[in-house]
Amino acid sequence: MNILLLGSGGREHALAWKLIQSPLCTRLFIAPGNAGTMQCGTNIDLSPTDFEGIKKLCTKEKIGMVVVGPEEPLVRGIVDYFAADAALRKISVVGPSARGARLEGSKAFSKKFMERYKIPTASYREFDVTNYADGIAYLQQHRLPIVLKADGLAAGKGVVICQSHVEAVAEFELMLQGHKFGEAGSKVVVEEFLKGIELSVFVLTDGQHFVILPEAKDYKRIGEGDTGLNTGGMGAVSPVPFADEAFMQKITERVIVPTVEGLKKENIDYKGFIFAGIIKVGEDPFVIEYNCRLGDPETEVVMPRLKNDLVALFQSMAAGRLNEVRIEKDDRIACTVMAVSGGYPGSYEKGLPITGVEGPGASNTPERPGGADSLIFHAGTKWQKEGIVTSGGRVLCVTSFAETVYEAVDKSRDVLEKIHFEGIYYRRDIGYEFL
Ligand code: AMP
Ligand code: GLY
């Protein structure tokens, strides 16, 4: 079968790397992809939200399956677009319908959904211009810190944690009156701050049944020791030591089962990933957010640990037979360390030459180019005639396997030391709390 993968990050390179290991995958196309995905298939210069262009490509290349990496095409209804088109209907798309993608696309929707199905989450209130004054009054008596969330998609920047009431009121005003996040901030969720340790849980559902993939922990802050600005993610570890069987059982019973049952009850067509962002408060799991896709950089440790054939897994999902699937995991520890552009998450330069990584045609096997037990996944990279250059904030990451977190991170660092671009920066302490 020919497969089309949408997206261009490290998540997509890891998915591409995994998809082509399946004997069920004949040809892989990636739109738009990066310099790393060129090692796995054919990059097509096409935006993941250009549905017309995607339709043409699917027809021309006889695509049988579309795997959607990022959330935006899902929130914009790519699944519904395929379902409504006679020529596209038989192609299976990995991802939920637009109604299902609201779990990520609208914080207000996801909070109400959790309320309806008694899924543990932070207490909250929702405001817009019509109850603006109530919002200000609510903020002023709220316990600190206060979490403000823009309702819609805001490129990972829509959550602000305020340490004072003055800051919270100012931020609230910026979102609702200053249109800081545009339409995405026309509704604001104000919620209680939960203190605990975070965990990313990945579920694949066919709408009736589900399987749980390896869990991971993401490191969001730019600085070592979890300091400084928030980023898309600077590294990840899987498995997560505190996510033992008992805790995962609580997550399954209190979060995953009611989520899948809730989707079913509301007749929401959901064949795809559910990413539950969990925070462990004491011994109990709370949902911080849902995403309708896999995490980045979590995927760069989840895919290497997943032993199942990914295409076969997606076929079982499409057929509604995930109840027949058993997830097999590599027991070793996988860590990924992300190298970013100097200045990220602020402004940074693009187009800087990268040395120490191989170009298209190189195979990302455990033997090369990362060295034994290591894999290089590209994120913001681009192939130009002269070589590979940077094209984003998060440039590439190195995933390594080992028996301990310490060794795995050490191996990734060894590989990163041989890679260079001007301004390269990476955290040396990924997994620090588990050493
Ligand atoms: P998001 O952009 O939705 O991934 O949220 C960014 C980060 O904000 C999360 O990963 C958490 O670290 C933090 N966060 C969101 N909601 C809460 C909350 N209610 N309590 C504490 N931290 C939160
Ligand atoms: N790494 C977190 C995310 O993908 O949202």
Side-chain angles (χ1 to χ4, degrees):
M1 178 172 42
N2 292 345
I3 300 176
L4 170 63
L5 169 64
L6 302 180
S8 62
R11 168 181 52 211
E12 284 74 24
H13 188 187
L15 283 168
W17 168 84
K18 183 71 182 162
L19 288 168
I20 58 163
Q21 291 175 45
S22 169
L24 298 166
C25 178
T26 315
R27 294 190 67 195
L28 178 67
F29 297 87
I30 310 99
N34 58 38
T37 61
M38 291 169 87
Q39 297 165 1
C40 309
T42 308
N43 280 2
I44 306 286
D45 189 12
L46 190 63
S47 158
T49 53
D50 177 359
F51 295 174
E52 291 278 311
I54 291 168
K55 175 179 173 169
K56 278 192 201 124
L57 180 67
C58 285
T59 310
K60 176 164 169 253
E61 301 296 352
K62 301 188 169 55
I63 299 293
M65 178 183 285
V66 178
V67 181
V68 186
E71 63 280 10
E72 208 184 338
L74 297 167
V75 172
R76 290 208 198 177
I78 190 165
V79 170
D80 313 78
Y81 179 87
F82 271 64
D85 189 301
L88 299 177
R89 199 167 298 150
K90 58 188 186 303
I91 301 174
S92 64
V93 184
V94 179
S97 61
R99 284 182 69 219
R102 282 182 305 171
L103 278 186
E104 173 165 3
S106 167
K107 303 269 188 210
F109 173 82
S110 74
K111 294 298 283 191
K112 280 194 209 110
F113 181 89
M114 286 186 266
E115 214 168 35
R116 276 198 295 282
Y117 300 104
K118 301 189 170 48
I119 296 166
T121 187
S123 61
Y124 80 106
R125 288 269 308 266
E126 188 191 314
F127 299 97
D128 58 23
V129 287
T130 64
N131 57 353
Y132 185 81
D134 294 347
I136 301 282
Y138 182 74
L139 286 173
Q140 273 158 346
Q141 54 76 47
H142 199 291
R143 204 168 70 171
L144 294 173
I146 309 172
V147 183
L148 262 56
K149 299 186 172 181
D151 176 54
L153 293 184
K157 296 190 173 68
V159 177
V160 185
I161 296 169
C162 303
Q163 303 296 339
S164 73
H165 292 102
V166 173
E167 185 191 353
V169 169
E171 194 58 47
F172 186 77
E173 187 186 325
L174 270 176
M175 287 191 191
L176 282 177
Q177 311 232 314
H179 309 290
K180 180 178 176 183
F181 299 114
E183 191 50 37
S186 59
K187 225 187 269 173
V188 173
V189 164
V190 176
E191 73 176 36
E192 164 202 17
F193 179 83
L194 296 175
K195 196 166 167 46
I197 187 160
E198 285 179 56
L199 172 69
S200 304
V201 175
F202 302 101
V203 172
L204 184 69
T205 181
D206 57 22
Q208 298 291 322
H209 322 98
F210 65 86
V211 289
I212 300 182
L213 304 178
E215 77 288 352
K217 184 172 188 306
D218 173 21
Y219 292 79
K220 282 219 170 76
R221 303 296 197 89
I222 187 75
E224 290 179 3
D226 292 331
T227 53
L229 294 174
N230 249 331
T231 70
M234 297 295 292
V237 175
S238 176
V240 180
F242 67 83
D244 55 14
E245 212 169 297
F247 191 61
M248 290 306 289
Q249 191 58 34
K250 283 185 190 170
I251 293 175
T252 305
E253 284 168 14
R254 299 180 195 174
V255 178
I256 310 303
V257 170
T259 300
V260 174
E261 288 302 316
L263 291 169
K264 238 193 297 192
K265 210 167 277 171
E266 301 190 12
N267 285 316
I268 291 176
D269 177 22
Y270 205 119
K271 282 185 160 61
F273 294 107
I274 303 171
F275 164 177
I278 300 287
I279 191 158
K280 183 181 186 225
V281 183
E283 289 305 311
D284 297 315
F286 287 78
V287 177
I288 285 231
E289 59 164 353
Y290 285 113
N291 295 301
C292 59
R293 46 146 180 105
L294 290 174
D296 192 352
E298 291 98 322
T299 305
E300 292 93 305
V301 288
V302 170
M303 284 302 135
R305 282 197 65 223
L306 180 69
K307 287 188 172 172
N308 301 59
D309 178 320
L310 187 59
V311 181
L313 198 56
F314 289 153
Q315 285 184 331
S316 299
M317 179 203 73
R321 289 213 297 264
L322 279 178
N323 54 321
E324 294 169 11
V325 170
R326 247 192 69 135
I327 293 298
E328 309 277 348
K329 306 172 203 179
D330 191 319
D331 287 330
R332 291 175 299 168
I333 291 171
C335 290
T336 199
V337 179
M338 184 68 73
V340 303
S341 297
Y344 175 80
S347 62
Y348 53 83
E349 234 178 289
K350 289 185 189 176
L352 302 169
I354 306 173
T355 58
V357 293
E358 293 181 56
S363 65
N364 204 352
T365 65
E367 285 74 46
R368 58 188 288 252
D373 302 330
S374 293
L375 296 155
I376 298 176
F377 292 121
H378 291 231
T381 71
K382 205 164 88 180
W383 174 251
Q384 288 187 340
K385 296 240 153 39
E386 319 82 71
I388 300 173
V389 298
T390 64
S391 68
R394 294 193 290 171
V395 176
L396 54 85
C397 61
V398 179
T399 299
S400 301
F401 273 118
E403 296 303 325
T404 66
V405 172
Y406 180 84
E407 279 174 274
V409 172
D410 208 42
K411 282 184 196 175
S412 287
R413 263 193 319 244
D414 277 350
V415 176
L416 281 165
E417 268 161 27
K418 298 186 190 85
I419 296 174
H420 185 75
F421 55 87
E422 199 188 311
I424 184 172
Y425 167 77
Y426 47 90
R427 276 179 62 170
R428 292 162 175 276
D429 70 337
I430 298 305
Y432 70 94
E433 69 274 63
F434 307 130
L435 297 182

